[in-house]
């Protein structure tokens, strides 16, 4: 039987330090303060209904379906009720600040970068041999073999092989430039000539090109990205002064 293990505040801080996490925590603290200050400057207010909605979303995201689940989660993460309320408030105020700063910038950004949000439904077989890829390309074109059969024979990844090389919806920004150029110039359904990249040879079947609309999901994604970029820029401008008490400094010097 294992002995009782006592964990102190110093143990936790030590673990944070030896995990090299302090810079990340400092950045998170600065980000929190930047958001608070910016929200204060523009007089943003948070309503009770907004807090309740955010609290419900956080519980749903963490699968906290009952009061017992919530209390167990708080205990697991050493979070008090006040801490939880701070998490909820921070979530809401960040969202409201993002909307305040970028609500009128999302649509222009989307229109300017619309091609980046285009998607393609595609199948892919990755090969090491260009000659083999060309041979298979013409064999598929001539009807001697199907793309599905090629995928089952040459794909090593089990799950991808089972799906016949189906990659689902892949977005332009997630593809290598040389692949993206060929894929989005295709007239679906079209089998592309083998594409050679630094990582190998790609045999691709383009099933459908999808031009996304600015729906709520895309809107939120763009707003989040713009806000994240803005926040990083603000953090970079901040002169961080660490005011640490003597106990922390003493512990810090010993670590």
């Amino acid at each position: 039987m294992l002995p009782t293990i006592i964990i102190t505040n110093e143990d936790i801080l030590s673990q944070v330090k030896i995990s090299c996490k302090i810079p990340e925590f400092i950045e998170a603290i600065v980000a929190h303060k930047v958001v608070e200050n910016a929200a204060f400057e523009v007089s943003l207010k948070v309503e009770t209904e907004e807090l309740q909605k955010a609290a419900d979303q956080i519980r749903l995201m963490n699968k906290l379906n009952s009061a017992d689940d919530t209390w167990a989660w708080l205990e697991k993460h050493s979070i008090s009720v006040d801490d939880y309320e701070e998490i909820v408030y921070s979530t809401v105020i960040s969202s409201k600040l993002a909307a305040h700063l970028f609500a009128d910038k999302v649509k222009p950004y989307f229109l300017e970068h619309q091609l980046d949000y285009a998607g393609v439904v595609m199948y892919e077989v990755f090969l090491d041999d260009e000659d083999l890829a060309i041979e298979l390309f013409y064999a598929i074109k001539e009807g001697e073999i199907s793309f599905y059969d090629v995928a089952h024979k040459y794909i090593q990844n089990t799950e991808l092989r089972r799906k016949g090389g189906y990659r689902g919806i892949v977005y332009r920004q997630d593809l290598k430039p040389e692949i993206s150029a060929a894929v989005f110039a295709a007239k679906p359904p079209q089998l592309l000539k083998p594409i050679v990249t630094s990582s190998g040879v790609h045999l691709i079947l383009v099933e459908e090109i999808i031009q996304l609309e600015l729906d709520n999901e895309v809107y939120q994604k763009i707003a989040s990205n713009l806000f994240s970029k803005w926040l990083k820029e603000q953090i970079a401008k901040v002169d961080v002064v660490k005011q640490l008490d003597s106990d922390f400094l003493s512990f810090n010097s010993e670590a």
Side-chain angles (χ1 to χ4, degrees):
M1 182 176 179
L2 290 175
T4 300
I5 298 176
I6 299 174
I7 298 176
T8 66
N9 292 341
E10 288 76 13
D11 292 328
I12 295 174
L13 179 56
S14 176
Q15 185 60 42
V16 170
K17 290 175 63 179
I18 65 177
S19 300
C20 301
K21 297 293 185 181
I22 284 183
E24 295 176 24
F25 280 99
I26 289 176
E27 182 173 331
I29 292 168
V30 173
H32 182 76
K33 291 182 178 295
V34 166
V35 170
E36 277 191 339
N37 185 64
F40 176 79
E41 287 183 351
V42 295
S43 302
L44 288 182
K45 303 295 182 183
V46 176
E47 304 297 333
T48 302
E49 294 78 7
E50 294 173 313
L51 293 172
Q52 185 59 56
K53 182 178 179 180
D56 292 341
Q57 289 175 337
I58 291 173
R59 283 195 291 269
L60 181 64
M61 182 176 62
N62 290 283
K63 300 179 180 179
L64 308 178
N65 301 315
S66 67
D68 288 342
D69 291 340
T70 302
W71 283 113
W73 183 82
L74 293 175
E75 183 177 357
K76 175 183 178 180
H77 296 282
S78 300
I79 296 173
S80 68
V81 173
D82 288 342
D83 294 332
Y84 181 69
E85 291 177 352
E86 178 63 22
I87 292 171
V88 174
Y89 177 83
S90 179
T91 300
V92 174
I93 202 68
S94 294
S95 178
K96 294 196 73 168
L97 180 61
H100 175 82
L101 293 173
F102 300 107
D104 60 346
K105 296 179 176 62
V106 172
K107 185 174 181 179
Y109 182 91
F110 175 76
L111 294 175
E112 183 179 350
H113 299 86
Q114 194 165 5
L115 289 178
D116 294 337
Y117 292 89
V120 57
V121 178
M122 58 180 274
Y123 295 75
E124 180 179 31
V125 176
F126 181 78
L127 300 161
D128 295 325
D129 188 331
E130 184 178 1
D131 291 336
L132 174 61
I134 293 174
E135 180 183 333
L136 292 172
F137 168 77
Y138 284 109
I140 295 171
K141 293 282 286 185
E142 296 298 324
E144 298 172 4
I145 190 173
S146 69
F147 190 96
Y148 181 85
D149 290 334
V150 169
H152 267 256
K153 184 174 181 179
Y154 292 99
I155 292 179
Q156 301 300 315
N157 180 277
T158 302
E159 290 303 315
L160 192 57
R161 182 173 66 248
R162 287 173 179 167
K163 295 186 290 186
Y166 178 66
R167 291 278 309 277
I169 299 176
V170 183
Y171 297 101
R172 180 188 291 268
Q173 57 192 356
D174 297 324
L175 293 170
K176 291 178 178 290
E178 55 267 49
I179 294 178
S180 174
V183 163
F184 287 96
K187 296 181 179 179
Q190 181 179 345
L191 177 67
L192 304 181
K193 288 185 177 180
I195 303 169
V196 180
T197 69
S198 58
S199 55
V201 188
H202 307 258
L203 189 59
I204 295 173
L205 174 62
V206 179
E207 182 175 274
E208 182 183 358
I209 301 293
I210 300 173
Q211 298 294 342
L212 291 186
E213 297 181 356
L214 186 57
D215 58 16
N216 184 62
E217 182 179 352
V218 176
Y219 182 98
Q220 295 300 330
K221 182 178 180 180
I222 294 175
S224 177
N225 289 342
L226 291 175
F227 182 67
S228 295
K229 181 180 179 181
W230 171 85
L231 190 53
K232 287 181 179 179
E233 291 172 350
Q234 301 309 305
I235 291 172
K237 298 176 183 177
V238 173
D239 182 18
V240 178
V241 178
K242 304 174 189 176
Q243 294 184 340
L244 309 177
D245 60 34
S246 58
D247 289 339
F248 185 95
L249 289 172
S250 175
F251 180 78
N252 190 50
S253 64
E254 294 171 2

